[in-house]
Amino acid sequence: MPAAAGEHSSHSSLSIPNSTDGGTSNGSATPTTGQSAPSMMGAAPESTLALDGDRETQIQMLSDQLKVENRIKEGAENLLQMPLNPTLRSQVESELATAKQKIQAIERSMEYFSERGSRRRNHEMNGNGVRKFTGQPLQAPDGWKEEGSERDDFRTAMHQARSAIKALLHLSRQYPYSHPGSSAPSPSASPSTSTLPNVLTASEAELNRARIETMARLIGILQRNLRVRYELDVAEVVHAVLPSLADKATRQARATAYRLIRHALVDSHSVRRLGEQHLDWYIVKTLSRDNKHSVEKEQVIKLIRAIVDLGSERHLSHSGVGSGSVPLSDAVMRALIAVAEYPEDPFKPICVQTLTEILLIDIELMARTGGIRVLLHALAEGPLEMAPLLSQAFLHIVDSPKTRAYLHPGTDLEIALSGITDAYGRGSEHQDRIKGCTRIVSSMLRTWSGLMYCCINDMTAIRALIDCLRIPSLETRELILDMFFDLLNIKPPEWHKTFIEGRRLTMYGKTRRSAEITQREQIPHKPQDTLKLTDQYIALLILVFSKAGLLDALTSMFEESSVGSPLSRRATLLMAEILQKANRVLPLSIAAKIQALPRVFSLASDYNDNEHRIVGSSALSAINSFNRHWSRMEPAVKGDTRPRANSIEDALRRQRQIEPAKLKMSMQMDDKTFQALLLDTQVMATKDHMKWNFETLQDLIEGPLHSAKRMEEAIKVSRYIRKVMSFFHPFSHRFSDLANTKQNHRWVRLGCSLLDALMSSPDGIRFLHDDEFLSQLVKSFAQLDPLTPAPVPDPIFSKKRVQDTLTCGYFEMLGTLSKRKEGVELLEKFKLFTAFYHLTELRQREDLIKGIIENLDYSIDGHSRIVLSKALTSPYKAIRHYATDYLGGLIRASPTANAWMLRLLLTQLYDPSPDVRELAVRFLEEACESMDVLQMVVEMQPTLDHLGEGHPLLLKFMSTPTGFRFLYAADYIDREIELWFHERNLHYVVHIEVFLAKAFNQNFNDDVDDSLLAFDGIVPLHFYGVMAKTELGCEVLQEKGHFTEFAQFIRRHGLESEDQEVIFKLKSVLWAVGNIGATVRGLPFLEEEEIIPSILEIAEQSLVLSVRGTCFFVLGLISSTPQGAEILDDYHWEATLSPLGLPTGLCVPLDVDKFVSIPPWECVASEAVDESRLAPPESDEEMEVMTAIYNLANTVIANAASRSLTKMKSKPEYRHIFNSPSMFYRALHTISSQKYRQPVRRYIFDLFNIDLDAEVVQQLSECAISLRIPITAQEPAEPSEPSPVDDKPTTFRPRPARHHVDESDDEESDVEEKEAAAKKPRAPVMSLRPKSRIIGFS
């Protein structure tokens, strides 16, 4: 199980610590950063130290030993928590007991020395009154040590790092070959090594433990002190840790060594220094180990990732993606690729991710070593969680002609579709893979590179997907249909399920209609002419899918059964939605061809085949039903006063017409009936509201009591109203004690109706003047005053009562009073507004303030608006935020622009809280969509400098003549136009491309950013586009001459395909030109420069696919004016028009093939051939061994080759070969230049009886030189038999084709090969082609 980064488990030895902090190793006298106090003590004068030197030295040594034993104890305790075999468990328990005994003994010794120190301190205090520091902080808590370690100065940390390296060099003395000419300092010469174990007498376990502790201490120093990492030489660190990388060291030691090297890397220079240290074979060996060495493999993979991250030379601004270089040798790359393609390796995902990153940096290296092939297989076969990353990387590669040349057109990227196209005959267990595959395909077809790549070879890939709808596999087809729903951005409403089940749509949703209407009214209406980039892309998708035969495939699904099934109805639904979408986003001439549905009508009119006629008629009937229901469910166009007879609002409209007539009839009631109604309510009979007839009471209050005469009678004659009103008095605890439930809220509505009825007559107003209702409310609010002399234990408006009882309903009733002028006067008379002002200052009573703000009516200018203003400027952020949100809702719901609301909202732009400011800005931007509101805000001339330059609000101000003059006078225009010309044009490209990627993939990514909601596919405001909206802006644009420069740039660099910087600027210029052309005043600029033909040429001929996509959207912008649409029509690009004939800003080419086609290319990716030569093996035995090793790469004859090698290894005449460094080098060179699977690589390493260490690596380096034949001495050889050799293999040749050898004839073939080799004269160079022969033919 891989250990986490920064942890070291103790699998190999009980003594290995489980911590990696900077503690001192066993017995080391060098203080760590955590021991800054003792090290500072070392700077004291010698005379002071002489008094305590011996005692302090003893305490220091004991303290170091205590740390070591504590770590041993922790390691043993951690091990005991893991499942161990009985023998190992008993060993661990004995080690734990020993460690505990040693800890007790050390603590007793330290107490003894501490007592001596305290006696001496007392003596010193009595003697001269000066108390000296005697090392006691060694016992300080860990937190103090960490704090002290952070305050270490660089010099101390550097000294500690040097000491740790010296200690590692001292521990490597048992390896005399660790470095030629090196000699570690003697223990006596170096104080840092004085307490290390004796390398001549210590056991291997003790040396490993000491090395791990020292390396861990050095890692801690490097982690805490970045400057030390820059000062240390990586070569020095590698030299010190070489013994820990050897095969003789433990896996924990190797893992710690790799971790130390990783922490020593800081920049590309340190990575280059690391590349000179000959670590490749150590890394290759580690990557070939099995899963028992996961802690070691994890650290070496992290090291490789650090090398890629720090040492890679990314592509320069003028070069394309993948044109950098990664400082990894081909040997390491082959080893990493072997891990990435081995399904059982736990590190496969991270290796695939690393290779993907390398692909985007250095595609040449990936192609040379076969990494592209591995990533393509990973894309097809999983893991599924890696597929999005891989698909996006390959799509990035496809965008540029230079990098897509490394892919085989029509075969490589199409492997992503195999999960769908190969699904026939698979069971339901294959469904998850199909679902994941559809998500990948959906994301691919939502990018320009993915869509255009899939359109090569006459849309073969898309046709293959669509043809899968014709195969009889239910799960597969349903998932593919869902994919098309997702691709075309079709969000199925609730009634889709009813449609699929085959039920009638006319009976659906009657109970939900009013709720749906209310919900629609709450959604802010956007202008009908907003430009949707996503819609324009969907229009192109519909064109492509229709051409590829999607509608025909859906029709074939109808034909399968005349009865109809959920699947066929789902296909009908998709067809109906496509027709609906096409009608909205495509030009009429193109949409009409799609709407024709020739095959469906042909089936419906086929009177020779009844089944065909039933199928066709059913499909047309279902589509017609869908269309009728869809139009009925659509909300009426805003501003359309003509009622629609078939709309779902019809029932509610009739209801509203009935209510006034009913009210008029109830007010014409005679006296007898009225008196009977009063008695029927039971109000006069009992005070118990549960016995009242609520329905009768409600009808009475909402009907007859709105008559002044009936109200006077109810107040004066029968005192009826007084009895009802007393129920609502707060101190009567009748209404105010009712539970806050949905059923009881009817009493709140009744109270509001009663107050409304009272306010409609003079007698009712006088009654409210005299009644105690309002005065009791004032007293109830006064109970909350913290300065009240007699506080009430349970006030009426306590937080609990407001939450649990109908007390909250009083705010709604007061809001009813605030709707009328008479009610406002009553609230003023009883000083309720004064109470509201006091409530807004209460801490932690947001519930009351929210209740007041929500329910007050603001239509009357007066105290209500002042209360809202006071809440907007409350000292508490939560209240300000809520009040701003509520104010935004008021502005959104208001049919006309209200100056007082806008002034309050503008005040919130200066709020101290960024959250409140952002909320206010969002509401103001939304409100300014209306020209009336925008004009009113501009006339107020708010100061918006604090929002930052280039803010969308300022751009909206610019779109009006008044606002433009205001900003021009403030020098904003001149400043901003220069910023946009040089910088912000480029920022705009990044902004719009990121948001488009999110908008297209919002279903694919679950974690969609909230900022996406603000974008929603609408073209963001562009400075040049806004300038072109006003006459003065066009004059400034003409004066600056920027448009002329844009046009010249497009003509000069329109077809650029290599220089990324130029391509990026080209996109920015295209967006600027498109936004200018999207306005009536800006289009003449394009006509004058005749730039539209150049843009069309780029759209159809550019080799960079994302530039084509940019031109597609830009042409849509140009088509958003009638004149622009007319110009594009001359070039066979047709604009989509609204029913009134106005352009919608969507435009598509009539010849879609010409737009989406990519010129064919020849693939350049192949595993390169290394032309360097190796000297031939010196004996026939060596040649046989090498031939068998080559045959291991062929999966067909690998088993026979492995048996041959096993036999050879057991024979005496071959044994010396498996101990030979030169043969070991040949084997390593072979696995580094050809594709070998991970188990085979491991087998080859195990084949040789050679342990990797510094001496062997040195011998391998010498072999690389000695076996290489100089280029001048190489003789021309057969082109099919090159012999690669290099110290660090960097180029590769493809694995040669091999003939099949039957396993049973293995020995016979070996004999024949030996005889043939004896007869044939020896070749001057070694051939890597495996020797094999077909047996049984002469």
Side-chain angles (χ1 to χ4, degrees), residues 704-738:
L705 288 182
H706 275 77
S707 164
K709 178 188 173 187
R710 297 301 180 196
M711 178 60 75
E712 182 185 4
E713 186 179 342
I715 292 172
K716 294 180 179 177
V717 179
S718 61
R719 301 171 64 87
Y720 182 86
I721 296 297
R722 189 173 300 281
K723 289 182 180 295
V724 176
M725 205 64 201
S726 65
F727 166 73
F728 291 100
H729 288 176
F731 295 153
S732 70
H733 290 284
R734 294 162 69 193
F735 170 80
S736 59
D737 283 3
L738 288 178

Side-chain angles (χ1 to χ4, degrees), residues 756-960:
D756 193 45
L758 287 167
M759 298 297 297
S760 61
S761 70
D763 290 307
I765 294 169
R766 280 195 296 274
F767 175 80
L768 284 174
H769 270 280
D770 301 334
D771 193 68
E772 294 184 358
F773 174 68
L774 293 175
S775 60
Q776 286 190 15
L777 278 177
V778 173
K779 291 174 186 175
S780 301
F781 287 132
Q783 293 174 348
L784 301 174
D785 188 353
L787 302 177
T788 183
V792 180
D794 185 23
I796 293 291
F797 285 96
S798 67
K799 186 174 279 191
K800 189 173 187 308
R801 286 179 65 89
V802 170
Q803 184 177 349
D804 297 341
T805 67
L806 285 188
T807 305
C808 59
Y810 285 121
F811 294 114
E812 198 172 330
M813 295 163 76
L814 291 172
T816 304
L817 291 176
S818 69
K819 291 177 183 177
R820 292 174 179 257
K821 187 179 178 183
E822 298 84 358
V824 172
E825 290 174 358
L826 279 172
L827 294 175
E828 289 174 357
K829 177 179 180 293
F830 284 95
K831 298 184 178 180
L832 274 158
F833 284 117
T834 307
F836 293 163
Y837 297 145
H838 290 312
L839 289 177
T840 57
E841 296 171 359
L842 284 181
R843 185 185 290 273
Q844 308 212 342
R845 287 311 305 270
E846 291 93 344
D847 55 332
L848 297 180
I849 301 162
K850 288 178 181 178
I852 294 167
I853 292 171
E854 279 178 2
N855 292 290
L856 279 180
D857 183 79
Y858 303 101
S859 57
I860 301 172
D861 188 12
H863 284 283
S864 298
R865 296 180 185 177
I866 298 172
V867 170
L868 179 59
S869 171
K870 197 168 175 60
L872 287 166
T873 54
S874 165
Y876 310 117
K877 175 190 164 185
I879 294 173
R880 296 200 309 274
H881 192 279
Y882 177 80
T884 307
D885 190 41
Y886 187 75
L887 176 63
L890 286 178
I891 293 173
R892 181 186 286 171
S894 175
T896 58
N898 287 301
W900 71 270
M901 290 184 187
L902 295 173
R903 283 197 190 93
L904 287 179
L905 190 60
L906 288 174
T907 307
Q908 298 310 97
L909 297 179
Y910 312 100
D911 193 276
S913 166
D915 293 342
V916 177
R917 287 201 301 271
E918 287 174 15
L919 188 65
V921 166
R922 198 164 76 236
F923 280 121
L924 191 57
E925 281 183 17
E926 186 183 305
C928 286
E929 294 286 345
S930 164
M931 287 306 296
D932 295 339
V933 173
L934 180 59
Q935 191 65 36
M936 192 177 288
V937 172
V938 169
E939 287 170 1
M940 294 176 185
Q941 295 193 353
T943 306
L944 303 176
D945 293 344
H946 66 290
L947 297 178
E949 294 188 346
H951 197 278
L953 264 180
L954 291 167
L955 294 179
K956 284 191 176 173
F957 278 26
M958 278 177 57
S959 64
T960 64

Side-chain angles (χ1 to χ4, degrees), residues 1261-1280:
S1261 301
E1262 293 168 0
C1263 289
I1265 298 169
S1266 62
L1267 293 177
R1268 181 191 293 128
I1269 298 178
I1271 296 176
T1272 56
Q1274 288 181 12
E1275 297 179 11
E1278 296 177 20
S1280 61

Side-chain angles (χ1 to χ4, degrees), residues 83 94 164 211 260 287 343 392 487 520 524 765 825 827 839 867 900 973 979 1198 1209 1285:
S94 65
R211 283 196 205 99
L260 174 57
L287 287 173
Q392 293 302 318
L487 268 171
R520 275 201 218 104
I765 294 169
E825 290 174 358
L827 294 175
L839 289 177
V867 170
W900 71 270
I973 303 295
L979 279 171
K1209 192 173 180 181
V1285 63

Side-chain angles (χ1 to χ4, degrees), residues 271-333:
V271 173
R272 280 196 298 273
R273 288 285 290 156
L274 179 65
E276 299 166 2
Q277 307 308 312
H278 305 294
L279 289 183
D280 286 0
W281 300 128
Y282 291 114
I283 294 174
V284 171
K285 178 74 178 282
T286 295
L287 287 173
S288 302
R289 297 184 191 274
D290 56 22
N291 294 341
K292 289 186 289 187
H293 298 80
S294 57
V295 63
E296 174 186 351
K297 287 177 74 172
E298 177 188 354
Q299 293 302 328
V300 83
I301 291 170
K302 285 183 177 180
L303 173 60
I304 291 172
R305 289 181 62 80
I307 292 170
V308 173
D309 184 37
L310 296 172
S312 299
E313 293 180 8
R314 264 73 174 180
H315 58 84
L316 303 174
S317 58
H318 61 271
S319 59
V321 64
S323 58
S325 64
V326 174
L328 290 177
S329 69
D330 290 10
V332 174
M333 280 296 294

